[in-house]
Amino acid sequence: MTDPGKVFLVDDEPELRQALARLLKAEGFDVEGFGSAPEFLARVTEDTSGCLLLDLAMPGLDGLELQERVAATGAKLGIVFLTGHGDIPTSVRAVRAGALDFLTKPVRRDDLLRAVQAALVHARAQHAAAAAGADLRRRHAQLTPREREVFTHVIAGKLNKVIAADLGTTEQTVKVHRARVMEKLAVDSVADLVRVAQQLGVKPAP
Amino acid sequence: MGWFTAALLVIAAACLTLAAIHVHVWLRERSVTANGAFALLAASVAALAFIELQMVRASDPVTFGRWLWWYHLPVWTGLVAAVFFVRLHLGAGRAWLGWTAIGLRSVALVINFLSSPNINYRELTGLEHVSVLGESLAWGQGTTNPLLAIAQLALVALVAYVADAATTAWRRGQRRRALTVGASMVIFVSAAFGSAVLSYWGFARLPVLASLFFLPIVLVMGFELSLDLIRSVRLAVELDAKTIALQGSERKLAFAAEAARAGLWSVDRVTGRLWATPQALSMFGLAADREHHVDEVLAPVHPDDRERVREFIGGSHGDPRGVTLEYRVTLPSGETRWYGVRGAAHDEPRGAPTLMGATIDITERKRAEEEMARQRLELEHLSRVATLSELSGALAHELNQPLAIIMSNAEAAQLLLDRRDPDLAEVRAILRDIIDADERAGQVIRRLRGMLKRGAPQRQPLALNDIVHGVVQFVGADLVRRGITLDVQLEPGLKEVLADRVPIEQVLINVIGNACDAMSGNADGDRALTITTLADGAEACVRIEDVGSGLPANPEQVFAAFYTTKPEGLGMGLAISRSIVAAHGGRLDARPNRPRGAVFTICLPLAPEGA
């Protein structure tokens, strides 16, 4: 991996923060440490991307709330929780808070590495998905109102002549609109069109 | 024989009888010297009567003179006896007056014995006969010796002495004695003196018969002494009654001592002689058939207690309620028993100072006490283990944290060392951090071990702030986990308390744990715990305030055994906590917090200065 990625390390205990930072830095990651969740939230922006390594047992922190606030910023983060006790309530809380993984202290290097890498992959995917979504929305915006109408009918699985009847036009016209939609949205099949519609949140026509 | 002769003989006989009785009393009981003096006086009067009888019946001047020569001896003894009697009976009189009377009469007696025919006459020329009660009585005639004045001056001195003694006794309140003894002697000695002056200095012709005048004196004195006799008889009767009562109370005391299995004893503090009841002797392991010295009691005493027992025996025992001591003895069978002893000193005005006391066997009580103490420790320990198990989550965190630090640091070091050009300064820093973390884990384990150990109590001066600080560290992770915000305010310069660290930590953990439980129903962010240390007179206190569900109407209820608000609680935590604090001489109180919650205060006595 050419770009190992960024790790945000949030732990109230300086000694542990330093030890983890040392280890991650030795592994080649770019590490940034924070003493508390608010400290981190003050730093985070929409462009922030990476792995958030978070100690669950910190004063004044609720995992779920933090997750929501991170999401609200639009940052692309894979969250990994660190916990002192691997009991079930804690794990459930961590997963509910949107954790990709949770690690029990003391954590082995391999486990830490795997979790951090997975989180980074997740973050990148989020990033890529976000980028792809933006492209798709741009393309969708290029459709004419008639083409959008045809789009909703096509993904409903209707035949061209049915669509023509519904819209009060000719089958030929529908065919042209359909080809233009597929072209503008850069898809080759109806199946792809349905997937794109889902991504865009376009509902099929009734 | 005429009436006069008969009268003199009766006087002589009566006086002799009285003399015999009182000599007998005096011989039996030498301390009543007044009776001795009286006996001498009575005997002297008897002798006077006898000699006077010989004088009045003398047939010639030589015989008369010879008897008169002897006459001065009983007069001298009578005078001496009278002086001593007054002194002893009235306890008054100027000594120099008495000695003057005795001295003058002694000089007269010597002169008399050196004179011929006697001190009364320079020479006797003949006899004169006087008729008294139909009897013809002879009396000497001749030249009066002027030295006779010395003998008669002695009588004047005697009268003065008696009058002075009687006045003093009268003033002291001994009026009857002063009147009877003083008045009779003054009157009758004066009368005798008067008759002698009249007769010997030629103012009147009459025989001088002193016994007639001395008889009333003897009778009055006899009466006085008989009153003493009556008093002593009455005293004897009272004494008998008291002796019987005393025997009765002694029997009761012996019965009570027997019932209480108490050994009674007393020690003469001068000689060390020991008196003890059979029960006490058997407890001390001493034979009943001989006398013992108090030091023999020390032999079976446990060596560790011997010095204290020695101090008890030799101590001043200033407290009239007595001093108590508990000590161990080793019986011949090798068995060790506990004795409790209470002793008090008695310094009576008469007799040697004594130490009296009672000893009882308190082994059963001691064993029960020891068993109770053992059970209390056991309970403390169990409660501690229970507290620890409640804290196990927090403890795991406390241990995990350093372990995590060590693990990550070590792995980082490994990676660094695998590099071609390792950063050794960084590796050194890592190793230093590993050591610190290890030390931290070690502390947690030591503290845990301390809490789990069932050790003998070890009181030592401890800084309360340190204890609080340690406990806060210990439970800190648990507080975080439970979403509790903690505010600790330690008073600087707080003096040390005398305490056993582990149980006091246990109390703090317990009270803090309860405070946290009480706030578990509060909303997030509304769980504030405040721990404050403060000085309060001779005590140092820790105050633990919460804003939780609070106390029952009667806050004392929370200290009762089996009181709990938790479904899985045993309800022993605060009861045990209070007993631990009480065993330290301190107190643990609860009161409501404002506007809600509870305040628990633990106060411990300060360690003595310089301890």
Side-chain angles (χ1 to χ4, degrees):
Chain A
M1 203 177 282
T2 48
D3 174 20
K6 180 113 184 171
V7 179
F8 302 98
L9 181 54
V10 184
D11 196 313
D12 63 328
E13 211 162 317
E15 294 91 341
L16 184 60
R17 205 162 65 226
Q18 183 168 25
L20 287 169
R22 275 178 183 141
L23 180 58
L24 290 168
K25 275 178 187 160
E27 290 284 4
F29 294 102
D30 180 9
V31 184
E32 200 174 335
F34 300 91
S36 70
E39 217 175 290
F40 169 68
L41 281 170
R43 153 77 174 74
V44 76
T45 67
E46 193 186 350
D47 298 328
T48 309
S49 172
C51 167
L52 172 58
L53 193 56
L54 191 63
D55 185 352
L56 206 53
M58 278 198 302
L61 174 94
D62 182 281
L64 201 61
E65 194 189 327
L66 181 72
Q67 158 75 5
E68 278 169 7
R69 291 181 62 180
V70 166
T73 62
K76 285 83 186 170
L77 291 168
I79 303 181
V80 175
F81 282 113
L82 272 174
T83 156
H85 10 224
D87 53 23
I88 291 169
T90 316
S91 333
V92 168
R93 237 160 29 128
V95 172
R96 239 193 240 155
L100 291 176
D101 207 344
F102 72 91
L103 303 170
T104 307
K105 284 188 249 183
V107 60
R108 289 306 307 253
R109 188 176 87 189
D110 296 345
D111 299 334
L112 181 68
L113 224 54
R114 199 179 306 123
V116 167
Q117 270 164 1
L120 285 171
V121 166
H122 176 81
R124 275 194 206 98
Q126 262 189 308
H127 193 73
D135 182 51
L136 215 56
R137 273 192 293 280
R138 191 170 42 75
R139 284 167 191 271
H140 184 243
Q142 288 172 356
L143 297 184
T144 63
R146 199 56 173 180
E147 284 166 357
R148 287 187 196 180
E149 223 170 345
V150 171
F151 181 31
T152 61
H153 282 80
V154 171
I155 58 172
K158 293 178 181 174
L159 297 173
N160 286 349
K161 59 180 171 198
V162 178
I163 299 169
D166 283 355
L167 296 179
T169 183
T170 64
E171 192 180 347
Q172 189 55 46
T173 315
V174 171
K175 222 178 227 175
V176 172
H177 282 310
R178 183 179 181 145
R180 297 276 275 280
V181 169
M182 306 259 286
E183 187 194 334
K184 281 184 179 171
L185 295 177
V187 295
D188 299 329
S189 65
V190 176
D192 283 348
L193 201 62
V194 170
R195 187 179 51 79
V196 165
Q198 277 175 347
Q199 281 176 0
L200 285 168
V202 176
K203 298 269 190 311
Chain B
M1 189 170 64
W3 284 108
F4 187 79
T5 308
L8 281 180
L9 282 175
V10 167
I11 288 169
C15 287
L16 272 180
T17 310
L18 281 170
I21 290 168
H22 286 273
V23 159
H24 179 73
V25 171
W26 179 67
L27 286 176
R28 281 293 176 88
E29 190 55 55
R30 292 297 173 94
S31 64
V32 289
T33 18
N35 294 59
F38 174 74
L40 182 59
L41 181 65
S44 305
V45 174
L48 290 180
F50 176 75
I51 293 172
E52 280 165 0
L53 189 61
Q54 302 310 316
M55 281 161 68
V56 296
R57 293 173 67 184
S59 53
D60 56 277
V62 176
T63 315
F64 177 85
R66 199 66 202 156
W67 281 114
L68 189 53
W69 191 80
W70 278 112
Y71 188 68
H72 286 278
L73 187 61
V75 169
W76 182 81
T77 56
L79 181 128
V80 170
V83 168
F84 275 90
F85 181 84
V86 168
R87 177 84 208 154
L88 295 166
H89 194 65
L90 294 181
R94 278 165 231 235
W96 67 265
L97 273 173
W99 284 117
T100 305
I102 292 171
L104 285 171
R105 200 70 215 190
S106 303
V107 170
L109 185 67
V110 171
I111 293 170
N112 177 62
F113 284 154
L114 296 175
S115 313
S116 182
N118 47 50
I119 195 171
N120 298 57
Y121 298 98
R122 229 184 264 154
E123 59 172 343
L124 273 165
T125 50
L127 288 176
E128 191 180 356
H129 286 84
V130 186
S131 179
V132 177
L133 295 170
E135 221 173 317
S136 171
L137 308 179
W139 200 254
Q141 279 206 314
T143 324
T144 301
N145 190 344
L147 291 175
L148 181 59
I150 296 171
Q152 290 178 338
L153 267 178
L155 292 179
V156 175
L158 177 64
V159 169
Y161 168 74
V162 171
D164 174 56
T167 311
T168 309
W170 175 274
R171 285 207 194 109
R172 267 192 219 142
Q174 299 169 304
R175 300 202 165 181
R176 193 184 44 71
R177 282 187 179 197
L179 205 62
T180 48
V181 176
S184 66
M185 283 187 77
V186 169
I187 292 168
F188 293 107
V189 172
S190 301
F193 168 70
S195 74
V197 168
L198 290 177
S199 172
Y200 289 115
W201 301 99
F203 299 109
R205 290 177 163 212
L206 74 169
V208 179
L209 300 171
S211 62
L212 293 177
F213 298 107
F214 275 91
L215 178 67
I217 295 175
V218 167
L219 292 178
V220 166
M221 288 179 177
F223 170 71
E224 268 298 313
L225 290 178
S226 72
L227 288 180
D228 282 351
L229 195 66
I230 289 164
R231 200 159 41 239
S232 51
V233 168
R234 203 174 289 147
L235 278 175
V237 171
E238 276 175 26
L239 196 62
D240 272 355
K242 278 187 178 153
T243 308
I244 288 165
L246 195 64
Q247 280 167 349
S249 76
E250 251 173 26
R251 264 199 304 279
K252 279 182 212 151
L253 188 64
F255 180 74
E258 177 71 32
R261 303 190 140 286
L264 305 183
W265 48 262
S266 97
V267 176
D268 183 321
R269 304 190 77 181
V270 175
T271 61
R273 208 170 69 88
L274 173 75
W275 169 90
T277 59
Q279 170 79 17
L281 286 174
S282 101
M283 286 174 83
F284 297 150
L286 299 175
D289 55 358
R290 60 182 185 85
E291 281 196 354
H292 295 282
H293 190 267
V294 65
D295 285 349
E296 291 177 67
V297 172
L298 288 169
V301 175
H302 193 284
D304 292 352
D305 294 343
R306 202 164 286 163
E307 203 43 50
R308 291 191 303 128
V309 175
R310 204 191 301 276
E311 277 171 21
F312 176 85
I313 294 168
S316 64
H317 297 271
D319 190 338
R321 284 166 304 170
V323 176
T324 54
L325 175 74
E326 293 180 352
Y327 66 99
R328 286 159 294 175
V329 292
T330 309
L331 301 185
S333 63
E335 190 195 353
T336 298
R337 297 199 74 84
W338 275 97
Y339 286 172
V341 57
R342 174 183 279 270
H346 289 264
D347 293 324
E348 284 173 32
R350 276 177 294 181
T354 52
L355 177 64
M356 288 172 148
T359 303
I360 51 172
D361 189 323
I362 55 166
T363 310
E364 298 311 318
R365 196 191 85 204
K366 273 283 174 191
R367 288 202 179 131
E369 279 174 7
E370 277 164 16
E371 176 62 17
M372 220 162 75
R374 200 187 60 72
Q375 281 177 355
R376 196 174 61 80
L377 284 181
E378 186 71 11
L379 203 59
E380 264 181 46
H381 178 249
L382 284 176
S383 139
R384 211 149 58 218
V385 172
T387 307
L388 285 182
S389 75
E390 277 172 26
L391 279 174
S392 61
L395 290 178
H397 176 87
E398 274 302 297
L399 271 179
N400 258 333
Q401 209 64 6
L403 288 179
I405 293 167
I406 291 167
M407 175 76 83
S408 299
N409 270 320
E411 287 180 331
Q414 261 180 345
L415 287 175
L416 287 176
L417 290 173
D418 283 347
R419 286 185 184 167
R420 213 174 312 130
D421 184 18
D423 181 351
L424 289 181
E426 179 71 357
V427 173
R428 269 188 212 105
I430 287 174
L431 290 176
R432 204 170 46 237
D433 285 358
I434 287 177
I435 290 168
D436 288 349
D438 201 271
E439 176 58 32
R440 185 173 145 192
Q443 269 177 9
V444 174
I445 290 168
R446 269 197 296 280
R447 194 173 293 273
L448 252 179
R449 190 180 287 157
M451 298 285 279
L452 288 172
K453 203 170 61 180
R454 68 189 80 207
Q458 285 179 316
R459 293 282 156 81
Q460 53 186 0
L462 294 172
L464 194 55
N465 283 347
D466 286 356
I467 299 180
V468 172
H469 184 69
V471 167
V472 165
Q473 270 194 333
F474 194 63
V475 301
D478 191 49
L479 299 183
V480 167
R481 194 169 61 84
R482 299 165 77 157
I484 287 162
T485 53
L486 176 65
D487 179 18
V488 180
Q489 290 170 7
L490 301 180
E491 176 160 317
L494 201 58
K495 284 183 183 150
E496 290 183 321
V497 294
L498 195 61
D500 195 356
R501 176 183 284 277
V502 170
I504 293 301
E505 285 179 342
Q506 173 184 354
V507 170
L508 284 169
I509 291 170
N510 221 304
V511 173
I512 291 171
N514 284 339
C516 295
D517 290 343
M519 295 191 287
S520 61
N522 289 21
D524 286 352
D526 182 33
R527 302 193 191 104
L529 182 69
T530 310
I531 303 179
T532 319
T533 59
L534 53 141
D536 183 8
E539 292 178 323
C541 305
V542 192
R543 207 163 55 203
I544 292 152
E545 296 167 69
D546 68 56
V547 293
S549 49
L551 299 165
N554 173 17
E556 284 299 297
Q557 226 175 313
V558 300
F559 297 108
F562 305 114
Y563 176 88
T564 182
T565 55
K566 295 167 247 176
E568 74 283 11
L570 189 58
M572 291 306 287
L574 283 176
I576 291 167
S577 293
R578 184 174 251 190
S579 91
I580 290 172
V581 176
H584 279 78
R587 59 202 162 81
L588 169 57
D589 296 315
R591 61 179 169 81
N593 198 4
R594 300 276 171 254
R596 68 212 154 97
V599 183
F600 281 81
T601 310
I602 300 159
C603 288
L604 294 169
L606 294 178
E609 291 288 335

